[in-house]
Amino acid sequence: MSTTTKENVSPVVKEEVAVAKSAALSGVRSFVAGGVGGVCAVITGHPFDLVKVRLQTAEKGVYKGALDVVKQTIAREGPIRGLYAGISAPLYGVTPMFAVSFWGYDVGKNLVRKFSHVDEKAGYSIAQISAAGFFSAIPMTLITAPFERIKIMLQLQGQQKGPPKYSSSFDVARQLYKTGGIQNVFRGAGATLARDGPGSAAYFATYEYLKRRLSPEDGKLSLAAVSFAGGSAGVAMWILVFPVDTVKSRLQGSTEKTSVGKGFFPGVGPAMLRSFPANAATFVGLELTYKAWDKVF
């Protein structure tokens, strides 16, 4: 049996070990890069997300399919205002949300290193990466739940008859709080964590696995490889958690207690179509920010 020498340690693994040695700086680095990646994801994926949410929450027969949602949305609200309805909430929240996610992932890896053995040559195992990914969802839920509640309420009002009920993201938050307090604003938080815990585990594990597999000898991944690994991570996550996301959307799109029975896969097409480009954009933004950070610091 051959032994692994210092010379043939993967450059990606070397990077992981080096970054982990400076936990505080690494956390700030991940926080900033995650925010940039999140903005890229929202701009790229929001129209797909809007179609998904409307399919998940509409009554039977309202839409014939994803293309019909797009057609009706553009006819009623116009292409930009319609397809980007509710984008203010994720844009306001995306920097802290994604920043906290990647910061939480970084903290999770440090906890894994503290409470289990990490091979300095092989790096984190896939199981360890999954555990760190699951941990990242815990602090992120505190931000994700209210922002997605607000985003969904704004997305849904476009398919309702009559004048808009809400004028802005802040107006949604104000009215939700007025009618039900903080509990109303955080409706669906449990479902959000149930989605994002296992989803984040699959997300980070898939990305890191493909990143290692695609990494050349010099460790310099091309943007195409980063895009493929990031997009694949998004697809893996959504395949795993889509039924939970449907429940979450129905809970967060309601003003009263609601039944979540109407099937678990409406809107799966737009979600899958969104997941690859949005998450490819996320990790391209992330990796470019990492490179810029490393040049400065």
Side-chain angles (χ1 to χ4, degrees):
M1 181 180 292
S2 62
T3 57
T4 304
T5 62
K6 196 168 184 178
E7 286 72 22
N8 61 19
V9 175
S10 165
V12 175
V13 173
K14 288 181 180 178
E15 179 186 349
E16 288 178 350
V17 173
V19 169
K21 289 179 179 177
S22 179
L25 189 60
S26 174
V28 176
R29 177 178 181 262
S30 297
F31 187 89
V32 173
V36 173
V39 172
C40 295
V42 170
I43 293 172
T44 305
H46 190 80
F48 295 98
D49 186 65
L50 179 135
V51 172
K52 171 186 73 71
V53 168
R54 290 190 175 181
L55 281 173
Q56 285 177 325
T57 56
E59 294 297 327
K60 187 176 181 180
V62 173
Y63 301 115
K64 298 176 183 177
L67 291 178
D68 190 42
V69 177
V70 175
K71 182 180 177 181
Q72 290 193 41
T73 298
I74 292 175
R76 283 195 305 260
E77 306 163 64
I80 302 301
R81 185 169 183 176
L83 295 177
Y84 281 90
I87 194 173
S88 58
L91 277 179
Y92 293 146
V94 75
T95 299
M97 186 170 68
F98 274 77
V100 168
S101 173
F102 282 92
W103 168 80
Y105 175 55
D106 193 79
V107 172
K109 288 198 294 184
N110 287 328
L111 289 174
V112 166
R113 177 174 288 277
K114 182 177 180 180
F115 293 105
S116 65
H117 173 70
V118 176
D119 191 313
E120 294 294 332
K121 294 179 180 178
Y124 294 94
S125 68
I126 296 302
Q128 290 173 326
I129 290 170
S130 297
F134 191 101
F135 177 85
S136 73
I138 297 173
M140 186 177 69
T141 297
L142 297 174
I143 300 172
T144 305
F147 276 105
E148 291 207 354
R149 169 81 156 134
I150 292 167
K151 179 200 71 175
I152 288 172
M153 296 302 289
L154 284 171
Q155 287 176 328
L156 294 184
Q157 75 172 353
Q159 67 185 10
Q160 298 166 353
K161 296 180 180 179
K165 182 178 180 180
Y166 306 111
S167 61
S168 67
S169 300
F170 294 108
D171 188 42
V172 177
R174 182 183 63 81
Q175 291 196 45
L176 290 175
Y177 184 81
K178 184 177 180 181
T179 56
I182 195 68
Q183 184 177 359
N184 195 20
V185 178
F186 275 83
R187 174 172 288 171
T192 301
L193 181 58
R195 178 197 68 177
D196 290 346
S200 295
Y203 186 65
F204 287 107
T206 301
Y207 178 72
E208 294 293 348
Y209 173 77
L210 290 175
K211 182 179 176 182
R212 292 177 184 181
R213 296 286 293 182
L214 296 170
S215 180
E217 290 297 323
D218 61 5
K220 295 180 180 179
L221 275 176
S222 67
L223 289 183
V226 171
S227 297
F228 177 77
S232 299
V235 172
M237 178 187 73
W238 281 108
I239 288 174
L240 178 65
V241 304
F242 193 83
V244 182
D245 182 68
T246 299
V247 173
K248 182 195 75 70
S249 291
R250 290 176 183 162
L251 285 170
Q252 293 185 318
S254 67
T255 53
E256 304 293 339
K257 289 185 178 179
T258 184
S259 168
V260 295
K262 304 183 289 180
F264 293 111
F265 290 94
V268 67
M272 292 297 104
L273 288 173
R274 170 191 179 275
S275 63
F276 195 95
N279 289 286
T282 298
F283 280 100
V284 167
L286 182 86
E287 295 291 351
L288 289 176
T289 304
Y290 279 159
K291 288 182 179 179
W293 176 280
D294 292 340
K295 285 182 180 179
V296 175
F297 298 98

